Amino acid sequence: PTATDPTATEPAPAEPAATRTLEGGLGTLAVAAVDAPRFFGAHGHFEPDGFFTPTDAELEATLRALGPALAALPRAAGPADADRYYRHLVGVERAGRRQLFVFGFCDGSVRPGPRWTEPFSIDDGGDCYFEGFYDLDENAFRDLAFHGEA
């Protein structure tokens, strides 16, 4: 409502249109829908129904749940703290559900500089790498795991 029109409503905040870096971890990249096919496609998973740009609230919920979820996973030597990883977060739609695909990688696994903001994938790699899906309806991770060793 405004002083001149009591029935007016505030416009909903616009979703960010561009991929952007966030505070937290070694670096966190929130991938916009326009860039999502490049990032998600690098991992060779299923063909999603679509992509979306995650809202700030969705990103915060996912990152808040990531620490406890990673701490509960078995690991050989990788960092136990979720903030010791770079993270890519990609909004993926599948079977009518909105999920954030999370790909994490530890320091030293990529060369310094802008490289960590580019899409890439790695097979194996041990517990320096993890990935999984955060289901926004259930507020829970699905298929979250560290990579294996070759």
Side-chain angles (χ1 to χ4, degrees):
T2 64
T4 57
D5 183 358
T7 62
T9 58
E10 293 290 323
E15 289 185 352
T19 295
R20 60 199 170 110
T21 58
L22 307 173
E23 296 291 322
L26 295 177
T28 301
L29 193 69
V31 178
V34 68
D35 295 324
R38 289 187 316 121
F39 280 84
F40 190 71
H43 294 274
H45 289 288
F46 59 88
E47 184 68 32
D49 299 332
F51 297 101
F52 66 93
T53 302
T55 66
D56 287 345
E58 291 167 336
L59 293 165
E60 289 168 13
T62 303
L63 292 172
R64 196 171 36 253
L66 182 59
L70 277 183
L73 295 176
R75 80 178 44 72
D81 183 353
D83 284 338
R84 304 274 311 273
Y85 292 87
Y86 293 99
R87 292 89 58 103
H88 291 172
L89 291 91
V90 182
V92 176
E93 297 170 349
R94 98 173 142 166
R97 302 188 75 81
R98 289 166 52 95
Q99 300 178 336
L100 285 184
F101 173 69
V102 180
F103 173 56
F105 44 101
C106 63
D107 197 21
S109 61
V110 294
R111 68 178 185 263
R115 173 71 167 99
W116 78 269
T117 61
E118 293 298 317
F120 78 96
S121 179
I122 187 164
D123 292 329
D124 300 321
D127 51 14
C128 193
Y129 301 89
F130 67 85
E131 58 188 70
F133 295 87
Y134 186 74
D135 189 302
L136 293 165
D137 294 327
E138 294 181 11
N139 294 317
F141 273 97
R142 300 285 174 247
D143 305 318
L144 181 66
F146 287 100
H147 284 203
E149 297 274 347

